[in-house]
């Protein structure tokens, strides 16, 4: 029993001595080395981007000597964002990535967050102008049902078409329909109802034009004009030239880089 106790005491003293030596060694700094502080940094350190965007990062130097050395750029995940030799970051997909700049032995990092482009309605003011410019043009025409003659407007002895008035209620309807045709590109709503179920109830006449993939109000209006089509292909044109309509609401909704267009026609 005494021997065991002595062994225990010796062991305890050895352990304590070892711990003391370790602590002393740590305190003296003989077994640990501090990392040298980096003499470069990246500006900005944090960056928020949308898919498809390009932005440039800059290296800031604490030592003038380093400015003469080449900067090596790298991305922790090239599927999210890439970086060029000049520090230009290109956002490719949603996520977070670390961009590193290395100059000699010195490194600096920036955190880049990438998100999808926000869905948003675009300014459609020009779309109203292009529509009414076409509608009120002298000598504008459309084919008759048998494609044997044309009906002309805005000339002597023909029907004069008045500009369509921009209607707030129909514009809200157009915005609803623009979002809906992202899900179902049709004159039937995603819930199976007819498109006119989204229109104000006080209308006595209604019409609708839809389109997708055109990048400007001019382009989509030109497509709807259908100048080179026969009667069967001039449905959009006939809506724009109909004397039954006096009001219109237009919307353009951008989703994943594609613009969805709607013209909602009406009369009260």
């Amino acid at each position: 029993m005494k021997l065991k106790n002595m062994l225990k005491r010796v062991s305890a003293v050895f352990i304590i001595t070892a711990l003391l030596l370790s602590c002393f060694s740590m305190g003296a700094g003989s077994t640990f080395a501090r990392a040298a502080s980096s003499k470069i940094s990246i500006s900005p350190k944090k960056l928020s981007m949308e898919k498809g965007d390009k932005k440039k990062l800059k290296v800031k130097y604490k030592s003038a000597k380093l400015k003469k050395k080449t900067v090596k750029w790298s991305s922790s995940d090239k599927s999210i964002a890439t970086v060029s030799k000049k520090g230009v970051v290109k956002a490719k997909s949603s996520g977070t990535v670390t961009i590193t700049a290395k100059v000699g032995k010195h490194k600096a990092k920036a955190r880049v967050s990438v998100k999808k482009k926000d869905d948003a309605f675009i300014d459609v003011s020009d779309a109203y102008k292009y529509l009414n410019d076409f509608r009120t043009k002298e000598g504008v025409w459309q084919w008759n049902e048998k494609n044997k003659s044309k009906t002309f407007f805005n000339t002597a002895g023909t029907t004069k078409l008045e500009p369509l008035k921009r209607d707030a209620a129909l514009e809200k309807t157009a915005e609803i329909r623009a979002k809906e045709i992202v899900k179902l590109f049709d004159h039937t709503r995603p819930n199976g109802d007819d498109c006119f179920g989204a229109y104000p109830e006080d209308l006595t006449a209604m019409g609708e034009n839809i389109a997708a993939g055109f990048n400007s109000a001019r382009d989509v209006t030109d497509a709807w004009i259908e100048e080179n089509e026969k009667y069967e292909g001039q449905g959009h044109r006939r809506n724009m030239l109909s004397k039954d309509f006096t009001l219109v609401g237009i919307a353009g909704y951008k989703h994943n880089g594609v613009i969805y267009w709607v013209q909602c026609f009406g009369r009260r």
Side-chain angles (χ1 to χ4, degrees):
M1 293 291 293
K2 289 182 179 180
L3 181 61
K4 288 183 178 180
N5 288 335
M6 288 180 66
L7 289 171
K8 286 181 179 178
R9 288 174 185 173
V10 172
S11 298
V13 170
F14 178 79
I15 292 169
I16 291 170
T17 303
L19 287 171
L20 287 171
L21 289 171
S22 296
C23 290
F24 177 78
S25 176
M26 290 171 65
S30 60
T31 58
F32 291 88
R34 289 184 179 178
S37 59
S38 180
K39 292 185 178 181
I40 64 170
S41 62
I42 296 177
S43 178
K45 292 181 179 180
K46 292 183 180 180
L47 192 61
S48 294
M49 303 176 69
E50 291 185 344
K51 182 180 177 182
D53 287 350
K54 289 183 179 181
K55 292 185 179 180
K56 188 173 183 178
L57 296 175
K58 294 182 179 180
V59 173
K60 290 187 175 181
Y61 302 90
K62 296 179 182 178
S63 171
K65 293 181 180 179
L66 293 175
K67 291 183 179 181
K68 298 179 181 179
K69 294 188 177 183
T70 302
V71 180
K72 294 182 179 180
W73 294 92
S74 62
S75 168
S76 62
D77 192 335
K78 292 181 180 180
S79 67
I80 296 175
T82 58
V83 60
S84 72
K85 293 180 180 180
K86 294 184 178 181
V88 178
V89 179
K90 182 178 180 180
K92 300 184 73 177
S93 63
S94 299
T96 301
V97 65
T98 299
I99 302 297
T100 302
K102 184 178 179 182
V103 180
K105 296 181 179 180
H106 300 275
K107 292 182 180 180
K109 296 181 179 181
R111 184 182 179 88
V112 177
S113 298
V114 180
K115 62 179 181 177
K116 290 182 180 179
K117 284 190 175 292
D118 292 335
D119 294 347
F121 290 104
I122 66 169
D123 182 11
V124 292
S125 299
D126 286 345
Y128 288 96
K129 179 182 182 302
Y130 297 143
L131 167 59
N132 279 322
D133 284 350
F134 167 67
R135 179 182 171 87
T136 59
K137 182 180 178 181
E138 183 179 352
V140 69
W141 58 271
Q142 65 187 32
W143 282 109
N144 70 2
E145 195 167 354
K146 294 183 179 180
N147 294 311
K148 291 184 178 181
S149 63
K150 296 177 180 177
T151 300
F152 289 86
F153 303 94
N154 307 322
T155 57
T158 67
T159 301
K160 182 180 179 182
L161 298 175
E162 297 295 333
L164 296 173
K165 294 181 180 179
R166 185 171 182 170
D167 185 78
L170 276 175
E171 192 163 292
K172 288 182 179 179
T173 299
E175 290 179 350
I176 291 171
R177 290 290 298 131
K179 281 189 172 183
E180 289 183 344
I181 63 173
V182 171
K183 300 176 182 178
L184 178 63
F185 190 77
D186 196 272
H187 294 294
T188 300
R189 303 180 73 184
N191 64 4
D193 291 346
D194 186 275
C195 65
F196 297 126
Y199 284 54
E201 295 181 355
D202 61 344
L203 299 178
T204 58
M206 294 173 286
E208 177 176 277
N209 287 344
I210 63 175
F214 298 93
N215 293 325
S216 70
R218 167 61 75 190
D219 288 344
V220 72
T221 303
D222 286 346
W224 278 328
I225 286 174
E226 298 162 332
E227 188 81 18
N228 298 317
E229 299 291 331
K230 293 294 185 179
Y231 178 87
E232 293 78 6
Q234 288 189 339
H236 302 96
R237 185 184 184 95
R238 288 195 298 276
N239 273 343
M240 292 192 288
L241 296 179
S242 176
K243 63 180 185 300
D244 294 330
F245 302 137
T246 58
L247 309 168
V248 68
I250 303 174
Y253 183 66
K254 194 169 188 177
H255 173 75
N256 286 343
V258 177
I259 304 177
Y260 294 80
W261 301 89
V262 179
Q263 289 178 325
C264 293
F265 302 94
R267 183 187 189 96
R268 286 192 179 87

